[in-house]
Amino acid sequence: MRKPSPAPLLIDEHAVLVEQIAARQEHVRAGLQAGDWPRTELRQLLDYLHYELLDQTVHEERLLFPLAGGCADTRVQELVAEHLALRRATEQLADAAAPRNEGRDVDQLTALLRDLRRLLERHVVREERVLATVTLDGVETRRQPTWSRSWYPLTEGPVLDLDALPAPFAPPAALQRLARLAPGETVEVRSSSGLAALRTLTTRRRAAEFTWVCLAEGPERWRARVTRRHAG
């Protein structure tokens, strides 16, 4: 039996990326319009670009592009060039948001946001057209482990509720969230089934980076305050 085209799955994934990036850009613009330098909003946007958008481009190049003709196909070459352009745009935005440039050039930052959005919107339309005939179960079903871009927003904010995530993937998604904490930043982690697995995973991989403070230890709800230590 012929496998269904991945186009609907890819379109859905692109829709999530475009929507989430647009929302974060609006938060940055709102800060600028209010006369404030949107330090937190810029960091949230850049985190999303690095952990979601650029991660997605890597998986497409590894999983989908070879099935669409690989680098021998000029259409795939154009998609790869656009991926590189997205990476450069993210780097330029990160440079404009760096502490040394904070508040210096609002017009440049606004232009970078606009250019990134236009580039992304053009790219997803072209990519969906090029990959429309590829028969595959989709990018996410081929990733190891399987991942969903819809989970990222569930891990943001000062509270991380593991119950909002599929149980098998809650620990790695939470670990990624902890990795995004800035030094001195804190998040409250909650679960109805305990936090031992996440704490063990954190201790095994990043024992020196985080401090844990137990806030509640069952039997119906476990809560802990996790803080990323300052370097040194």
Side-chain angles (χ1 to χ4, degrees):
M1 180 179 294
R2 181 181 174 86
K3 293 183 179 180
S5 166
L9 292 173
L10 187 63
I11 290 171
D12 290 344
E13 182 172 328
H14 281 165
V16 171
L17 289 169
V18 171
E19 178 185 18
Q20 292 293 324
I21 290 170
R24 285 162 177 76
Q25 287 189 330
E26 287 305 314
H27 294 157
V28 172
R29 291 192 186 95
L32 293 174
Q33 291 171 359
D36 300 322
W37 185 254
R39 185 183 306 111
T40 299
E41 292 81 0
L42 279 168
R43 183 188 154 209
Q44 290 172 345
L45 171 60
L46 286 165
D47 278 351
Y48 191 85
L49 292 172
H50 284 119
Y51 281 91
E52 293 294 302
L53 176 63
L54 298 187
D55 179 76
Q56 194 250 13
T57 64
V58 170
H59 282 88
E60 285 180 336
E61 291 170 8
R62 181 170 63 88
L63 299 174
L64 289 185
F65 287 6
L67 298 175
C71 292
D73 190 304
T74 56
R75 300 175 308 161
V76 173
Q77 293 173 16
E78 291 172 352
L79 294 181
V80 172
E82 290 175 353
H83 282 181
L84 291 173
L86 287 169
R87 290 169 191 143
R88 285 195 298 269
T90 300
E91 291 170 0
Q92 291 172 341
L93 186 61
D95 184 67
R100 67 179 182 280
N101 294 324
E102 187 170 306
R104 280 190 180 180
D105 196 334
V106 172
D107 290 340
Q108 180 198 26
L109 179 59
T110 301
L112 289 172
L113 292 170
R114 181 191 64 237
D115 293 346
L116 173 64
R117 184 166 183 173
R118 289 176 178 173
L119 173 61
L120 178 61
E121 290 175 347
R122 288 196 305 268
H123 171 68
V124 296
V125 171
R126 183 198 300 270
E127 191 167 70
E128 288 162 10
R129 184 166 59 246
V130 172
L131 299 178
T133 59
V134 174
T135 54
L136 185 70
D137 289 336
V139 178
E140 296 306 335
T141 58
R142 299 270 297 195
R143 292 181 68 189
Q144 297 296 326
T146 302
W147 202 258
S148 172
R149 308 255 168 228
S150 63
W151 299 344
Y152 187 101
L154 302 177
T155 67
E156 291 186 296
V159 175
L160 172 57
D161 189 346
L162 301 187
D163 293 344
L165 297 162
F169 307 109
L175 190 65
Q176 187 190 84
R177 172 66 177 97
L178 297 181
R180 299 198 303 270
L181 290 175
E185 188 179 359
T186 293
V187 65
E188 181 179 318
V189 185
R190 300 175 180 174
S191 173
S192 62
S193 57
L195 298 173
L198 176 60
R199 184 160 190 174
T200 299
L201 187 62
T202 305
T203 302
R204 185 184 306 138
R205 297 188 182 182
R206 300 169 177 265
E209 291 189 42
F210 302 99
T211 58
W212 284 68
V213 176
C214 180
L215 302 177
E217 193 169 357
E220 296 181 356
R221 200 71 169 153
W222 281 258
R223 296 167 48 233
R225 184 169 59 247
V226 185
T227 303
R228 187 164 196 168
R229 295 189 178 101
H230 289 277

